[in-house]
Amino acid sequence: MNSPKVTRGVQEADVWAAADALLAQGLRPTIERVRQQIGRGSPNTVSPMLESWFGTLGQRLGVVQTANPQQGVPENVLRLAQELWDSARGQALEAAQQALQEREAALEASRRSHEADLEHMEQREKALHQQKQAMDEAMKLARAQAQELSRRLDEMQQLAQEREAQLSSLRAELAAAAKAREQERKEHSEEQQAAAQERQRLAEQFAGNERRMLTDLDRARQEVTSAKKAQAEQERKSEARLAEWQTRQQHLEEELLQARTQLLGAQQSAQAAQERVTDLKALLLATQNASATPAPGAKAPVRAGTPSLQRRALAQRARNLPRK
């Protein structure tokens, strides 16, 4: 008979005893070795208790503590304690990394299991659909059989009535016919009983098939409803993202249209300014040609106020130029 399992947690005395046993065997007390020695305990539980054991190792080895913990301690003992401590920390780190890898592997296994469950649900839905079709065919066949049995029963009842009438008319005349009639009535009763039993068996079978079919149909409907809800939620999120993208695209198109409008206005303004500059240059050139010095030997008439008139004409032409 197996002994009951110990439910209490790992105690500090257990860790210290296991570490002493490993040290007596000439082994370095590491977290994994202490756990194997005890037979239980997690690395997070064993690690601080093992550190406490290492903290009292010098005192237990007979080394007297002074103001300086390392003063008076043999170098080999300090080196051994440091090696034990480094080894214990390395083992704890390896255990933590291993636990992390195991947790990641468990998460990956859970994801694969979830995908397998989804695939299994799809296959199950197909199987339920096929089973429903098979049940529909079985129901049709059972109904046809029931109708056939009912028709046969009606025919047998009608035949019994005809035989009863014939036997009633011949009862007074033929004793042998009466005996035969009784025998026929007995056989007919047995046939009716057998037919009734067969009809009851078929009815019970049909009822059981119908109950199973309704149960499977309800379960399939619930699963389909859950799947439709999940699909509707996903479609709602997709529509919201599409509306947000369309709104952003409309804003960008409006900003682009405004930028094009501003660019077109700037181009038209630049073109008008260029045309004004060209006209001013032509006017200036014409003015200079008109006021140029006459050729040698010719006497140019001197008119008072001519430069002033030319400046006024030039200013008037500049004002008449189109502005935008």
Side-chain angles (χ1 to χ4, degrees):
M1 184 175 181
N2 296 329
S3 60
K5 294 183 178 179
V6 180
T7 58
R8 70 182 182 88
V10 176
Q11 303 297 324
E12 188 176 37
D14 300 332
V15 175
W16 284 30
D20 290 340
L22 290 171
L23 190 61
Q25 297 173 11
L27 300 174
R28 287 194 300 270
T30 62
I31 295 176
E32 188 62 28
R33 286 176 179 173
V34 170
R35 291 179 60 214
Q36 293 178 359
Q37 184 74 15
I38 298 174
R40 64 184 185 280
S42 65
N44 294 331
T45 302
V46 174
S47 178
M49 298 179 182
L50 187 59
E51 289 182 4
S52 178
W53 179 86
F54 275 113
T56 60
L57 180 61
Q59 184 178 0
R60 297 174 64 192
L61 290 176
V63 179
V64 179
Q65 293 184 351
T66 60
N68 186 3
Q70 297 182 358
Q71 185 176 0
V73 181
E75 183 179 356
N76 56 352
V77 174
L78 292 175
R79 185 173 60 256
L80 177 60
Q82 184 64 34
E83 291 177 356
L84 292 175
W85 172 250
D86 294 340
S87 178
R89 291 183 61 185
Q91 291 291 334
L93 181 60
E94 292 178 359
Q97 291 177 353
Q98 183 177 1
L100 179 60
Q101 292 176 357
E102 291 176 356
R103 185 172 297 177
E104 291 177 352
L107 290 175
E108 180 66 19
S110 177
R111 184 184 65 79
R112 294 179 180 177
S113 177
H114 180 66
E115 293 177 353
D117 290 341
L118 291 178
E119 185 177 359
H120 178 68
M121 288 178 65
E122 293 177 356
Q123 295 177 356
R124 185 177 181 183
E125 184 177 356
K126 293 180 181 178
L128 287 174
H129 182 67
Q130 295 177 356
Q131 187 176 5
K132 178 180 177 298
Q133 292 180 348
M135 286 185 176
D136 291 340
E137 296 295 332
M139 287 179 62
K140 291 180 181 178
L141 180 60
R143 288 173 182 172
Q145 291 178 353
Q147 291 177 359
E148 180 66 18
L149 289 174
S150 178
R151 185 185 64 78
R152 290 180 60 186
L153 181 60
D154 293 338
E155 292 177 356
M156 292 176 66
Q157 289 177 352
Q158 184 177 0
L159 179 61
Q161 291 175 0
E162 293 175 357
R163 289 180 179 180
E164 184 67 22
Q166 292 176 2
L167 289 174
S168 296
S169 64
L170 295 176
R171 186 179 296 115
E173 299 177 0
L174 300 172
K179 185 177 180 180
R181 187 193 62 183
E182 291 294 332
Q183 183 65 28
E184 288 178 358
R185 287 181 61 185
K186 182 179 179 180
E187 293 176 357
H188 177 64
S189 178
E190 292 176 353
E191 290 176 356
Q192 283 185 339
Q193 184 177 2
Q197 292 177 353
E198 180 66 17
R199 184 172 59 185
Q200 183 178 1
R201 185 184 67 81
L202 290 176
E204 292 176 354
Q205 182 179 1
F206 174 76
N209 293 335
E210 187 176 10
R211 285 194 298 271
R212 288 193 297 271
M213 182 198 69
L214 291 175
T215 301
D216 294 338
L217 184 60
D218 290 338
R219 188 182 300 109
R221 285 175 178 174
Q222 292 176 359
E223 293 177 355
V224 170
T225 301
S226 300
K228 286 182 178 180
K229 287 182 179 179
Q231 184 178 2
E233 181 66 19
Q234 185 65 27
E235 290 178 354
R236 185 186 65 79
K237 293 180 179 179
S238 299
E239 290 176 357
R241 288 196 297 269
L242 179 59
E244 181 181 359
W245 180 84
Q246 289 177 350
T247 303
R248 291 181 179 179
Q249 185 178 9
Q250 185 176 2
H251 291 167
L252 291 175
E253 290 178 353
E254 292 176 356
E255 293 177 358
L256 180 61
L257 181 60
Q258 292 177 359
R260 287 179 177 176
T261 303
Q262 295 175 357
L263 179 61
L264 181 59
Q267 290 177 351
Q268 291 176 354
S269 299
Q271 184 177 2
Q274 185 65 30
E275 291 176 355
R276 289 178 61 191
V277 170
T278 302
D279 292 340
L280 288 174
K281 287 181 178 181
L283 180 60
L284 181 61
L285 182 60
T287 303
Q288 292 176 352
N289 292 333
S291 61
T293 303
K299 295 183 178 179
V302 179
R303 294 182 181 180
T306 300
S308 177
L309 293 175
Q310 292 177 352
R311 284 196 298 271
R312 284 199 297 270
L314 180 61
Q316 183 65 31
R317 292 189 61 183
R319 285 195 297 270
N320 293 333
L321 289 176
R323 296 183 180 180
K324 293 187 181 180

